[in-house]
């Protein structure tokens, strides 16, 4: 698990303070931390545990239970490819293989240049226009290899040129 | 709503509106770019005097991005539109009537696909501005709540019982009976929890409703609160739905500002507070007790029942847990009467079901109809066959835990009991079509793999059984084994399915055998060892 610096810890302390009085504050706190820092740093755990009056192990247990939460800093772009049945019916099995090859990473991995992290997702509710993927808050549909390339290009023309 | 030609067809300038959807799927097809283009044109040509409205989607996703223009005779649809078409469509004449244009589809509500539906719960989706309280009210919104405020809790629960509404989240439990249990608990802190986890692949009705008419869900939850004596609601929304989150939060804010949420709603002595909480990518958190654990801030481990959530639910308090569509159907029931809702449907499946057509389907989208329509009618008349133009071979109904059905079963009517009688489930109403290139052994294998990934881990048959399931299916299809070994593996798979079905605490492990066994039963040839290249023939 990766840690964060002083600045990050300050942000975390603020988030905890803002949310800790909510009933069932754990998930709202974890979401807010990940939204701000892109992951949940290891040194956030004691702070959360203390604020919510639970053990550090319990916080860790919650983080590891949910696919969405991550303990390592991801690449600049997190690409979530849908593995659901509707997308399978429209060719996502071949597409995901192509994407893995194209980015030279498997699921749960980050590319060497730290541009991309690849994650599986099980349905984005875009099943009338499968196959689908999510990057940030954008959902893309009716994907094929060509459209995937275009999206990659639009994401980060500059860094692709450097390669 | 009125599409009959009126005598005087001139349109007051103030009423000129152009609609472009903000629905996730419409956006995935580029509706934001269309909206930007419309904005540009409207600001550079002020004499058009029209405004842009971002609405939900009508659910005809093969026509998105859809652009609609309201004329004196009704809304006229254009689609699918590209940004460069926009300037060609919008001019002074387009507000008068249907015009000659290659993309003009005619009056939206006259399109057969749309016109033949029975939209009760989705009555306003794709029509109103989702977060505009006044627009909601002018289309019949909050009538149910107004009626509800004049009734006793028992009268409200009776009305819902009378409607015959059964939960749309999958288990089809009668909503009124669930509410009665919560109402019967002594006065104390009670909760209304909306299950907006919509984890089933092939489903998006909850999402479309939350993005297209979130206030009907808010209204349904307030009525639920009045019915059982709860003053706090939570919407547990899956984190995969960022747009729904955004729209729900705005709608809640606006409803609060208009006096429909908070203390003394509509000037009454009742209060209702509502908050959206995000899930974190765990399918099992759609199961109601796992969901409650998650809301409490814990790992989403399924709880043993009893106690029922209705008696000991969120934070140990009596709790109503209902699906989005169940709750969003309640305002109709209170505004039109339970009997009016019950008049739709067949057998013990009353009312309407928002059906989602997905996968390899030419016309994918949302069809709300009374129970009773057959799968065939849906797949052909509404879906228009496979998108790939190939033969349709298999459909999975009811999400990843639903059975795969071959063509000979497509005469089955959409009805909870009819589906149960063929060993299938309707679930949340998602239908995923596959063409003849599908490898059903791979689909069965995936069902086991999915269970392995998403199991909460509490019971062995589910946690370990799914891992074994993947291995056994691999053995069945392996070319390294002789026929006897293969047959042994098939028998083993059946045993394993039995163990999962009868030994699991919840439907995750308990129903994973549905897709596996149906694939094996109806498509046995796919499980024969064969070079994979020949599968398509
Ligand atoms: C594995 C599993 C996943 C479920 N996922 C959902 C879901 O995503 N949405 C939902 O409304 N119900 C889901 N359910 C059903 C809920 O447990 C519960 O029955 C439902 O929320 C009750 O609401 P209803 O009566 O309005 O349908 C799931 C059940 C199981 C066993
Ligand atoms: S069947 Fe699976 S998901 Fe359900 S309680 Fe058991 S281990 Fe958890
Ligand atoms: S299955 Fe991929 S978006 Fe629903």
């Amino acid at each position: 698990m990766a840690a964060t610096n002083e600045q990050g810890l300050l942000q975390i302390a603020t988030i905890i303070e803002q949310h800790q009085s909510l009933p069932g504050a754990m998930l709202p706190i974890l979401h807010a931390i990940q939204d701000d820092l892109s992951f949940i740093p290891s040194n956030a755990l004691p702070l959360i545990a203390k604020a919510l009056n639970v053990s550090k192990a319990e916080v860790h247990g919650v983080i590891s239970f949910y696919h969405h939460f991550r303990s390592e800093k991801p690449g600049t772009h997190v690409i979530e490819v849908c593995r659901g049945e509707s997308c399978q019916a429209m060719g996502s099995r071949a597409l995901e293989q192509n994407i893995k090859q194209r980015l030279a990473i498997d699921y749960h991995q980050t590319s060497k240049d730290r541009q991309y992290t690849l994650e599986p997702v099980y349905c984005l509710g875009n099943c009338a226009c499968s196959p689908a993927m999510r990057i940030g808050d954008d959902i893309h549909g009716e994907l094929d290899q060509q459209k995937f390339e275009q999206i990659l290009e639009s994401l980060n023309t500059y860094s692709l040129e450097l390669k | 709503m009125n599409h009959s030609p009126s005598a005087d067809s001139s349109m007051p300038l103030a009423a000129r509106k152009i609609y472009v959807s903000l629905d996730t799927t419409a956006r995935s097809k580029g509706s934001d770019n269309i909206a930007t283009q419309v904005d540009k044109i409207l600001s550079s040509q002020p004499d058009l005097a029209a405004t842009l409205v971002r609405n939900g989607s009508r659910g005809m996703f093969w026509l998105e991005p859809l652009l609609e223009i309201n004329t004196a005779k009704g809304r006229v649809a254009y689609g699918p539109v590209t940004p460069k078409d926009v300037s060609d469509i919008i001019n002074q004449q387009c507000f008068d009537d249907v015009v000659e244009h290659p993309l003009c589809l005619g009056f939206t509500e006259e399109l057969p696909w749309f016109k033949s539906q029975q939209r009760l719960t989705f009555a306003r989706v794709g029509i109103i501005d989702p977060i505009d309280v006044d627009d909601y009210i002018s289309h019949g919104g909050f009538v149910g709540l107004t009626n509800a405020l004049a009734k006793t809790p028992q009268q409200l629960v009776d009305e819902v019982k009378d409607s015959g509404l059964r939960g749309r989240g999958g288990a089809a439990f009668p909503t009124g009976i669930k509410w009665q249990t919560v109402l019967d608990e002594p006065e104390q802190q009670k909760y209304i929890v909306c299950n907006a986890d919509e984890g089933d692949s092939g489903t998006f009705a909850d999402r479309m409703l939350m993005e297209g008419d979130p206030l009907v869900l808010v209204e349904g939850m307030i009525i639920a609160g009045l019915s059982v004596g709860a003053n706090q609601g939570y919407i547990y929304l899956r984190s995969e739905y960022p747009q729904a989150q955004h729209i729900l939060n705005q709608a809640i804010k606006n409803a609060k500002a208009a006096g429909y949420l908070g203390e003394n709603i509509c000037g009454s002595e009742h209060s209702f507070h509502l908050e959206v909480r995000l899930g974190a990518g765990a399918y099992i958190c759609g199961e109601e007790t796992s969901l409650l654990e998650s809301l409490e801030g814990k790992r989403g481990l399924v709880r043993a029942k009893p106690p029922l959530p209705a008696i000991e639910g969120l934070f140990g308090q009596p709790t109503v847990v209902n699906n989005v569509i169940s709750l969003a159907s309640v305002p109709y029931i209170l505004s039109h009467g339970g009997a009016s809702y019950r008049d739709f449907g067949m057998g013990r499946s009353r009312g309407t079901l928002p059906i989602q057509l997905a996968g390899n389907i030419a016309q994918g989208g949302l069809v709300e109809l009374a129970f009773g329509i057959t799968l065939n009618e849906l797949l052909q008349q509404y879906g228009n066959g496979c998108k790939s133009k190939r033969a349709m071979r298999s459909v999975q109904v009811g999400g990843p835990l639903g059975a795969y059905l071959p063509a000979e079963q497509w005469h089955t009517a959409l009805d909870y009991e009819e589906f149960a009688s063929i060993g299938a489930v309707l679930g949340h109403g998602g239908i995923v079509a596959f063409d003849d290139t599908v490898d059903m052994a791979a689909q069965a294998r995936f069902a086991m793999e999915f269970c392995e990934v998403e199991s909460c881990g509490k019971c062995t048959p589910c946690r370990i059984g799914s891992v074994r399931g993947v291995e056994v299916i691999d053995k069945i299809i392996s070319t390294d084994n002789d026929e006897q070994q293969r047959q042994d593996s098939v028998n083993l798979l059946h045993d394993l399915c039995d163990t999962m079905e009868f030994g699991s605490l919840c439907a995750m492990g308990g129903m994973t055998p549905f897709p596996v066994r149906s694939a094996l039963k109806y498509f046995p040839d796919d499980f024969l060892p064969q070079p994979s290249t020949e599968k398509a023939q």
Side-chain angles (χ1 to χ4, degrees):
Chain A
M1 283 178 92
T4 185
N5 55 19
E6 280 299 307
Q7 167 66 25
L9 283 174
L10 273 176
Q11 278 170 270
I12 290 167
T14 312
I15 288 170
I16 292 176
E17 208 179 293
Q18 285 167 343
H19 293 85
Q20 77 183 106
S21 62
L22 290 174
M26 179 76 83
L27 264 67
I29 288 175
L30 295 177
H31 270 297
I33 293 175
Q34 183 157 309
D35 284 352
D36 263 25
L37 301 175
S38 77
F39 72 114
I40 298 164
S42 54
N43 47 352
L45 268 61
L47 302 179
I48 302 169
K50 183 151 175 270
L52 300 183
N53 202 17
V54 296
S55 72
K56 236 176 74 182
E58 236 169 296
V59 183
H60 176 75
V62 172
I63 295 171
S64 61
F65 182 85
Y66 296 95
H67 302 304
H68 177 80
F69 296 130
R70 61 176 79 86
S71 306
E72 302 294 336
K73 199 172 170 58
T76 312
H77 307 288
V78 178
I79 302 180
E80 296 174 88
V81 180
C82 180
R83 295 195 69 212
E85 282 88 345
S86 174
C87 291
Q88 291 169 18
M90 288 305 292
S92 67
R93 285 170 190 261
L95 183 72
E96 72 180 347
Q97 291 313 320
N98 288 336
I99 291 176
K100 286 177 184 177
Q101 265 176 17
R102 171 65 179 79
L103 303 178
I105 43 174
D106 205 336
Y107 284 131
H108 314 298
Q109 293 181 347
T110 298
S111 61
K112 273 216 185 78
D113 62 2
R114 303 218 48 90
Q115 281 297 303
Y116 309 108
T117 296
L118 195 61
E119 296 289 348
V121 66
Y122 296 89
C123 194
L124 293 163
N126 205 40
C127 335
C129 294
S130 291
M133 72 173 177
R134 172 179 179 180
I135 303 176
D137 279 352
D138 291 329
I139 315 284
H140 303 272
E142 297 185 335
L143 285 178
D144 54 24
Q145 190 60 23
Q146 197 188 345
K147 191 164 172 194
F148 178 76
E149 286 299 332
Q150 284 167 1
I151 294 166
L152 266 197
E153 221 165 286
S154 70
L155 272 185
N156 213 330
T157 318
Y158 179 68
S159 71
L160 280 183
E161 275 169 3
L162 283 184
K163 275 203 212 164
Chain B
M1 302 283 269
N2 183 5
H3 40 67
S4 57
S6 60
D8 175 21
S9 69
S10 71
M11 183 91 186
L13 285 185
R16 283 186 165 186
K17 285 188 177 129
I18 298 174
Y19 296 84
V20 177
S21 179
L22 46 59
D23 173 280
T24 292
T25 299
R27 292 179 76 208
S28 85
K29 293 196 71 180
S31 68
D32 283 353
N33 295 337
I34 306 300
T36 308
Q37 201 58 29
V38 172
D39 253 342
K40 261 189 209 155
I41 291 171
L42 295 185
S43 47
S44 66
Q45 299 176 53
D47 54 319
L48 287 169
T51 46
L52 169 67
V53 179
R54 300 300 303 271
N55 56 348
S57 173
R58 299 274 190 166
M60 303 179 282
F61 287 120
W62 72 100
L63 295 176
E64 293 283 0
L66 190 76
L67 186 151
E68 286 181 278
I69 297 173
N70 70 327
T71 72
K73 298 177 181 176
R75 283 190 203 169
V76 175
Y78 300 79
V81 175
T82 66
K84 57 182 193 302
D85 298 321
V86 178
S87 60
D88 206 35
I89 295 171
I90 301 177
N91 51 43
Q92 292 290 351
Q93 285 72 46
C94 75
F95 298 97
D96 293 338
D97 205 336
V98 170
V99 297
E100 282 292 328
H101 189 283
L103 292 177
C104 185
L105 303 161
F107 294 106
T108 319
E109 286 166 20
E110 291 298 318
L111 295 172
W113 200 89
F114 192 83
K115 194 181 180 182
S116 57
Q117 296 191 34
Q118 290 148 314
R119 291 203 165 191
L120 310 185
T121 306
F122 276 70
R124 282 172 294 263
V125 175
I127 294 174
I128 62 167
D129 177 340
I131 57 167
D132 184 337
V133 176
D134 293 330
D135 209 7
Y136 180 67
I137 292 170
S138 70
H139 287 81
F142 289 128
V143 173
L145 176 61
T146 307
N147 293 346
L149 283 166
K151 290 183 191 269
T152 66
Q154 189 58 56
Q155 284 172 329
L156 291 173
V157 171
D158 287 343
E159 197 73 51
V160 174
K161 278 186 192 164
D162 214 32
S163 73
L165 176 67
R166 292 163 73 181
R168 300 290 189 248
F173 188 82
T175 304
I177 294 177
K178 186 183 284 184
W179 290 18
Q180 185 72 59
T181 310
V182 180
L183 172 60
D184 289 346
E185 285 299 295
E187 206 173 303
Q188 58 190 299
Q189 178 66 57
K190 299 178 184 180
Y191 295 103
I192 308 296
V193 171
C194 170
N195 187 339
D197 200 51
E198 196 165 59
D200 288 357
S201 52
T203 69
F204 44 82
D206 296 351
R207 179 189 63 65
M208 276 187 68
L209 187 114
M210 292 185 285
E211 292 176 356
D213 191 14
L215 290 166
V216 78
L217 174 59
V218 172
E219 184 181 353
M221 291 185 73
I222 301 169
I223 296 171
L226 295 175
S227 303
V228 304
N231 67 359
Q232 175 70 50
Y234 291 100
I235 299 174
Y236 185 88
L237 177 71
R238 66 199 303 252
S239 58
E240 290 85 346
Y241 284 179
Q243 177 73 339
Q245 182 196 9
H246 177 67
I247 295 171
L248 275 173
N249 279 328
Q250 280 181 292
I252 288 172
K253 194 167 144 231
N254 294 350
K256 204 168 168 186
Y260 289 97
L261 286 173
E263 302 292 333
N264 304 106
I265 46 175
C266 307
S268 73
E269 76 274 26
H270 302 285
S271 304
F272 195 74
H273 305 273
L274 183 55
E275 206 184 304
V276 177
R277 287 291 178 89
L278 276 195
Y283 178 75
I284 195 57
C285 288
E287 194 282 333
E288 57 186 6
T289 63
S290 164
L291 185 157
L292 295 173
E293 290 287 302
S294 183
L295 264 181
E296 291 180 7
K298 304 177 194 150
R299 300 155 66 92
L301 296 184
V302 172
R303 297 178 185 168
K305 283 190 265 192
L308 291 172
I311 292 166
E312 274 181 49
L314 185 62
F315 304 115
Q317 301 300 114
T319 303
V320 167
V321 184
N322 271 134
N323 172 254
V324 173
I325 303 297
S326 313
L327 289 163
S329 299
V330 168
Y332 177 92
I333 291 164
L334 264 296
S335 61
H336 293 73
S340 154
Y341 189 78
R342 195 185 54 219
D343 282 346
F344 294 87
M346 72 176 274
R348 288 175 49 220
S349 305
R350 310 311 313 175
T352 58
L353 181 68
I355 299 149
Q356 301 118 90
L357 296 178
N360 197 331
I361 194 99
Q363 298 183 165
L366 186 119
V367 183
E368 182 177 349
L369 284 172
F371 288 93
I373 184 164
T374 67
L375 264 180
N376 250 329
E377 287 169 289
L378 283 164
L379 295 168
Q380 299 310 327
Q381 270 156 251
Y382 288 90
N384 200 23
C386 277
K387 203 177 201 168
S388 60
K389 301 212 163 65
R390 298 184 65 104
M392 200 180 284
R393 182 158 179 254
S394 175
V395 301
Q396 186 178 33
V397 185
L401 308 177
Y404 283 99
L405 298 173
E408 62 261 33
Q409 298 286 8
W410 300 346
H411 58 81
T412 310
L414 269 76
D415 166 87
Y416 295 116
E417 280 66 40
E418 293 276 311
F419 263 64
S421 75
I422 60 163
V425 288
L426 263 186
H428 186 47
I431 299 177
V432 177
F434 292 80
D435 73 9
D436 59 357
T437 61
V438 67
D439 175 349
M440 291 305 298
Q443 296 310 122
R445 186 186 190 279
F446 177 79
M448 286 291 189
E449 194 190 335
F450 181 71
C451 183
E452 182 185 338
V453 175
E454 297 295 342
S455 166
C456 84
K458 192 158 180 167
C459 40
T460 321
C462 171
R463 190 184 66 240
I464 308 292
S466 53
V467 181
R468 294 282 290 129
V470 172
E471 293 165 5
V472 174
I473 294 173
D474 280 342
K475 267 193 199 139
I476 295 174
I477 55 181
S478 159
T479 43
D480 299 338
N481 294 327
D482 64 27
E483 183 50 30
Q484 187 55 47
Q485 284 169 316
R486 207 185 77 82
Q487 205 48 56
D488 289 346
S489 298
V490 171
N491 292 339
L492 188 60
L493 182 59
H494 278 296
D495 287 348
L496 196 59
C497 283
D498 281 341
T499 308
M500 290 175 77
E501 213 171 312
F502 303 112
S504 297
L505 184 57
C506 84
M508 178 83 235
M511 280 175 57
T512 292
F514 279 43
V516 176
R517 277 190 160 136
S518 56
L520 196 56
K521 175 176 172 188
Y522 295 121
F523 307 94
D525 290 354
D526 289 28
F527 291 79
L528 295 174
Q530 56 190 306
S532 55
T533 44
E534 284 171 22
K535 278 269 159 69
Q537 271 70 52

